[in-house]
Amino acid sequence: MVDVLVTNGPMLIMIAAAFGFLMAWGIGANDVANAMGTSVGSNAITIKQAIIIAMIFEFTGAFLAGGEVTSTIRKGIIDASYFTDVPELLVYGMIGSLLAAGIWLVVASALGWPVSTTHSIIGAIVGFAAVGVNADAVEWGKVGGIIGSWVVTPAISGFIAYIIFQSVQKLIFDTDDPLGNAKRYVPFYMALAGFVMSLVTITKGLKHVGIHFSTVEAYLLAAAVAAVVGLLGKVAISRLKMSDKADRQTQYGNVEKVFAILMVVTACCMAFAHGSNDVANAIGPLAAVVSVVESGGVIGAEAVLAWWILPLGAVGIVLGLAIFGQRVMKTIGKNITHLTPSRGFAAELAAASTVVIASGTGLPISTTQTLVGAVLGVGMARGIAAINIGVVRNIVVSWVITLPAGAALSIVFFFIIKSIFS
């Protein structure tokens, strides 16, 4: 059957590229909106600014750091040995999976549900492999790990967000001189954000450009970046126009202005971390299709990325956010709990830290669940009444539906594509 791949190769690659673009569009509409939702929801930046930041940092993250995760999803979830004699089934399955996950993401985005793009594509891949090929072709242990991450990821990021927000309250808001303390302590929060951000760039991103650092060098370099960011932050804060009127409300307003600057930094962090982690969901299956077709049916462990795949994914992501991202942004930024720049900052820094921890361990976590967990953590710090339980319930339900929805759609598309080409 390998001749199917030879005769229809260019056609299959074109279809895969189109569906890969749809998937990337869905990631932009749904997931990037998560990365930006807290910044937009707390009014630190406008939608237009969010799109510009996303364009730059998502693209850089995807381009520099996106390679590592591409291989994980590809190798981890299904056992390639089941496809050695029938490589065309892998190609059909990956194409069907991209279409299935892409459609699910567009539907979820239209409803304003922040679902996991990672789990959409994994559900789709598991569906076609288990039903279309062989149930044993699925690494069920890995799938179990992913389902476990539904609880673990939001819990970790929620906990970190809770602690960061409590520290902000204790050091700044609950003091006699909130503004003075903000000027004193915020540069340290900025440095922490700089540290987390540069660590993920150094350890993940630069590898793909052929620059390697030892662990010690990476940490020293990140510490140096953190110091510079902290100093720049100190300068920026000293230049802010502040009214020194004594009433606390005005002082709180001024403190939030300071945190609004920080939110811009963390929005960039989140976009970068997100680009590096989640672009693989669109380009992984596409890279698999291209490598199998171009090698005439040989399934390698690594998918070498064709030059046009990463730009295709990055452009799709940016367009999805620009055209369709506002609904999910509203859910994350406005509907779960009331966010101010200081709360949004705590949530984003916690989410970015969790993404760094997970990327370091190669876990396909969901940025969405990380961020929702972090926003909940900040809400919890203000008491359960601060959280809109109805919205949270809908979000959790949409998470649970995501895997089976992706699986069901991809099974249908797999059999349709198979019947067309064979």
Side-chain angles (χ1 to χ4, degrees):
M1 283 298 284
V2 175
D3 49 348
V4 174
L5 297 181
V6 180
T7 46
N8 298 321
M11 181 75 176
L12 288 165
I13 289 179
M14 274 170 62
I15 296 172
F19 294 166
F21 186 80
L22 172 74
M23 174 72 187
W25 198 91
I27 292 176
N30 202 295
D31 254 29
V32 182
N34 297 325
M36 294 292 157
T38 39
S39 309
V40 176
S42 61
N43 299 325
I45 54 175
T46 63
I47 295 252
K48 201 182 230 170
Q49 289 164 329
I51 291 168
I52 293 166
I53 290 176
M55 279 181 182
I56 299 166
F57 284 90
E58 287 276 341
F59 194 90
T60 337
F63 208 75
L64 287 180
E68 192 171 322
V69 192
T70 309
S71 56
T72 324
I73 286 200
R74 170 106 198 281
K75 284 189 301 205
I77 301 301
I78 49 176
D79 181 354
S81 63
Y82 282 87
F83 297 93
T84 316
D85 299 330
V86 281
E88 68 278 3
L89 293 187
L90 182 66
V91 172
Y92 302 156
M94 288 298 179
I95 293 175
S97 298
L98 284 170
L99 180 58
I103 288 177
W104 170 243
L105 287 176
V106 172
V107 170
S109 306
L111 294 167
W113 290 349
V115 296
S116 163
T117 52
T118 313
H119 297 164
S120 310
I121 192 72
I122 287 174
I125 291 174
V126 166
F128 95 81
V131 176
V133 185
N134 188 329
D136 297 338
V138 178
E139 301 279 356
W140 293 107
K142 291 269 171 69
V143 179
I146 289 162
I147 293 173
S149 76
W150 292 355
V151 183
V152 177
T153 316
I156 294 172
S157 64
F159 178 68
I160 298 174
Y162 182 84
I163 288 179
I164 294 172
F165 183 64
Q166 288 289 28
S167 73
V168 172
Q169 288 287 47
K170 294 273 185 300
L171 294 172
I172 298 171
F173 285 106
D174 296 346
T175 58
D176 296 333
D177 179 15
L179 192 54
N181 284 328
K183 288 182 173 174
R184 184 175 309 133
Y185 291 116
V186 167
F188 289 105
Y189 287 113
M190 284 189 152
L192 180 61
F195 182 75
V196 169
M197 172 69 178
S198 49
L199 202 57
V200 70
T201 315
I202 294 160
T203 49
K204 285 178 64 70
L206 298 179
K207 268 186 200 161
H208 302 291
V209 201
I211 306 172
H212 292 274
F213 291 102
S214 70
T215 313
V216 179
E217 288 168 340
Y219 275 91
L220 286 173
L221 205 61
V225 172
V228 173
V229 171
L231 286 170
L232 289 175
K234 208 166 173 55
V235 174
I237 289 165
S238 64
R239 292 190 165 177
L240 273 183
K241 298 272 179 287
M242 299 284 192
S243 50
D244 290 335
K245 280 192 297 188
D247 74 324
R248 292 186 78 81
Q249 244 9 71
T250 318
Q251 287 222 13
Y252 284 156
N254 289 335
V255 173
E256 291 295 359
K257 267 187 204 154
V258 176
F259 274 101
I261 297 181
L262 259 183
M263 285 293 286
V264 178
V265 180
T266 52
C268 300
C269 290
M270 271 311 277
F272 182 90
H274 178 267
S276 66
N277 204 11
D278 281 31
V279 72
N281 297 332
I283 64 173
L286 176 54
V289 170
V290 174
S291 78
V292 172
V293 171
E294 289 186 343
S295 64
V298 179
I299 298 173
E302 295 283 326
V304 180
L305 287 184
W307 64 269
W308 52 270
I309 292 182
L310 268 173
L312 177 102
V315 170
I317 283 176
V318 172
L319 284 177
L321 171 71
I323 298 166
F324 220 54
Q326 298 184 4
R327 297 175 183 207
V328 178
M329 274 190 201
K330 197 172 163 205
T331 304
I332 291 265
K334 297 250 199 275
N335 297 354
I336 296 178
T337 186
H338 175 64
L339 288 180
T340 58
S342 58
R343 293 170 195 157
F345 164 72
E348 278 197 357
L349 185 56
S353 308
T354 312
V355 171
V356 172
I357 296 165
S359 296
T361 52
L363 269 178
I365 61 150
S366 151
T367 338
T368 310
Q369 293 173 351
T370 316
L371 197 63
V372 170
V375 172
L376 282 174
V378 172
M380 291 297 260
R382 296 166 51 232
I384 196 91
I387 296 173
N388 185 335
I389 299 293
V391 173
V392 176
R393 188 189 56 233
N394 288 349
I395 291 174
V396 173
V397 168
S398 72
W399 287 356
V400 176
I401 307 172
T402 296
L403 271 176
L409 285 170
S410 96
I411 292 165
V412 174
F413 295 140
F414 171 72
F415 285 113
I416 293 174
I417 295 165
K418 187 178 166 185
S419 65
I420 291 172
F421 282 101
S422 49

